[in-house]
Amino acid sequence: MKRAKKKKQGMIIKRIKKILKKWKKSWEQTGPECTAALIGVGILSALLEIKKELSEFCVRKYTLKVPYESENGEAVKVIFVSDLHGKQYGKNNVSLIRAIKEEQPDFILSGGDILTRSEEATDHTAIRFYQNLSEICPVYAANGNHEQRMKENSEYYGFRYARMKKQLENSGVKILENESVDIDMKGIPVTITGFETPLKCYSHFKSVPLDLSEMIERIGMAERERFQILLAHNPAYMKQYADWGSKLTLSGHLHGGLVRIPGIGGLITPQARLFPKYSGDMYIKDNKACIVSRGLGTHTVNIRLFNMPEVVSITLLPKNTNHKK
């Protein structure tokens, strides 16, 4: 019996070796072609995904508890948009406006870069977009580096920024240029501050420090007794924003890191910096939150991979909430 069992095992081993030898020979003959084919399929799949992500967007939803009570325990819905860069999803951004309306927001906040400073045609797209938003609910907007450069370099860009600002304010949009506004969100006392990060902080290939004193010089002290929301386009200074006193910081600028790697996050910024810490998600530490939008458009580097453009929808839940998830 033992001899028969050994013989059977030997035959099985011999058969496995024969199969492996056959596979090895086949791989030696066709391996390079198979490898090339797999690489080709991978590249094609990536290109198709990039094409898709450059033409579609999603609504990314977050829920955040706030230490205040609202009227009747109602939740507050806030839409955050950033980095459109003049892109259109349908004529006059009809698809984008429809998606925002469907969220039924109470307030809309903007993190800037809705236009592209080097393309004057995007001014009209941005103005029309903001005007359509203002018909949905109150809109508060901060400047991104594109609007800020236009504003601070009028000798080069002319009166483009001033014209846009006037039209937006005539539509009821509140532009926050290093200033704050106190509002009531269904009984929750909120202060929204728009912070224009110094332009030196947008330098390429190097980190430029931002002192807390520089923030205070521009926007004063944070509101400690109210729910302080900070619109700050550049997310590289989240620690400073939290130290200043922001309870919810909303940023953009990095376009999600262009390519996102599962478990890691954004790969590279438009300024060619690798693996940014805050590139597109919600981060909470010490009861202070920051949300970084992955943006809606692109600029200079027209690539997105595993990095869908997004509208950010935030539900603020008060202490006495009756909201059902």
Side-chain angles (χ1 to χ4, degrees):
M1 290 291 289
K2 286 184 179 179
R3 190 178 295 175
K5 191 174 181 181
K6 272 190 174 182
K7 187 177 179 182
K8 189 175 181 181
Q9 287 176 345
M11 288 175 65
I12 292 172
I13 291 170
K14 191 181 288 187
R15 193 177 298 166
I16 291 172
K17 285 182 176 179
K18 190 176 180 180
I19 291 170
L20 290 173
K21 189 175 180 180
K22 189 177 179 180
W23 283 358
K24 182 181 178 183
K25 186 177 179 181
S26 177
W27 172 256
E28 287 172 348
Q29 291 174 347
T30 63
E33 289 83 358
C34 288
T35 302
L38 288 172
I39 292 173
V41 169
I43 291 173
L44 179 60
S45 299
L47 290 174
L48 289 173
E49 181 62 24
I50 289 171
K51 182 179 180 181
K52 175 186 176 183
E53 293 184 19
L54 289 175
S55 60
E56 300 179 9
F57 67 92
C58 68
V59 178
R60 195 172 307 280
K61 300 184 180 186
Y62 299 104
T63 299
L64 181 67
K65 294 180 180 179
V66 296
Y68 301 88
E69 293 189 357
S70 70
E71 298 166 357
N72 305 315
E74 289 186 84
V76 178
K77 178 67 70 67
V78 176
I79 289 292
F80 177 56
V81 293
S82 187
D83 298 275
L84 183 65
H85 285 291
K87 187 175 180 62
Q88 296 199 57
Y89 293 94
K91 186 176 180 181
N92 294 324
N93 272 308
V94 62
S95 297
L96 190 54
I97 296 298
R98 185 189 304 120
I100 292 172
K101 281 183 179 178
E102 287 175 355
E103 285 297 298
Q104 299 182 316
D106 299 300
F107 299 90
I108 296 173
L109 307 181
S110 170
D113 276 9
I114 303 302
L115 50 73
T116 298
R117 67 181 185 276
S118 59
E119 300 174 28
E120 190 167 350
T122 63
D123 295 7
H124 175 73
T125 303
I127 291 168
R128 186 66 179 268
F129 178 62
Y130 273 129
Q131 289 173 336
N132 286 333
L133 291 181
S134 69
E135 295 175 1
I136 301 173
C137 63
V139 180
Y140 299 89
N143 286 329
N145 55 299
H146 281 255
E147 293 96 349
Q148 190 177 339
R149 287 186 190 278
M150 287 170 56
K151 170 188 168 183
E152 295 185 17
N153 296 281
S154 58
E155 71 281 359
Y156 182 81
Y157 295 102
F159 296 102
R160 285 171 57 191
Y161 178 80
R163 284 196 299 266
M164 181 187 74
K165 182 184 176 183
K166 183 176 181 180
Q167 290 188 61
L168 296 187
E169 290 186 334
N170 287 342
S171 300
V173 178
K174 177 61 178 175
I175 308 295
L176 298 172
E177 302 170 304
N178 287 326
E179 59 184 308
S180 301
V181 60
D182 292 340
I183 66 171
D184 180 287
M185 288 189 173
K186 295 184 178 180
I188 299 174
V190 176
T191 297
I192 303 174
T193 300
F195 175 52
E196 293 182 331
T197 313
L199 290 177
K200 65 180 182 179
C201 294
Y202 293 102
S203 300
H204 289 40
F205 307 109
K206 64 178 181 178
S207 297
V208 176
L210 174 65
D211 292 332
L212 188 58
S213 60
E214 206 164 0
M215 285 190 68
I216 295 172
E217 183 181 341
R218 286 179 173 238
I219 55 177
M221 303 294 290
E223 286 289 342
R224 303 290 176 176
E225 303 302 319
R226 304 171 65 86
F227 187 66
Q228 174 71 69
I229 297 177
L230 180 67
L231 300 176
H233 187 68
N234 191 344
Y237 303 97
M238 285 300 180
K239 183 181 184 304
Q240 288 87 334
Y241 303 153
D243 289 346
W244 173 75
S246 175
K247 293 171 182 170
L248 171 60
T249 300
L250 300 176
S251 299
H253 186 55
L254 300 187
H255 303 177
L258 303 185
V259 175
R260 293 191 71 78
I261 302 173
I264 296 177
L267 174 63
I268 189 170
T269 74
Q271 295 74 37
R273 301 195 64 187
L274 293 172
F275 305 112
K277 185 175 182 180
Y278 305 101
S279 60
D281 212 332
M282 179 165 73
Y283 312 85
I284 300 177
K285 185 177 180 182
D286 299 328
N287 296 319
K288 293 181 178 179
C290 60
I291 295 175
V292 182
S293 168
R294 300 177 192 181
L296 282 159
T298 60
H299 170 60
T300 306
V301 183
N302 193 34
I303 290 177
R304 280 182 178 270
L305 183 59
F306 313 127
N307 180 29
M308 188 69 75
E310 64 183 24
V311 170
V312 174
S313 178
I314 308 163
T315 300
L316 299 178
L317 296 180
K319 288 194 298 184
N320 61 333
T321 183
N322 56 23
H323 178 76
K324 294 180 181 179
K325 294 185 180 180

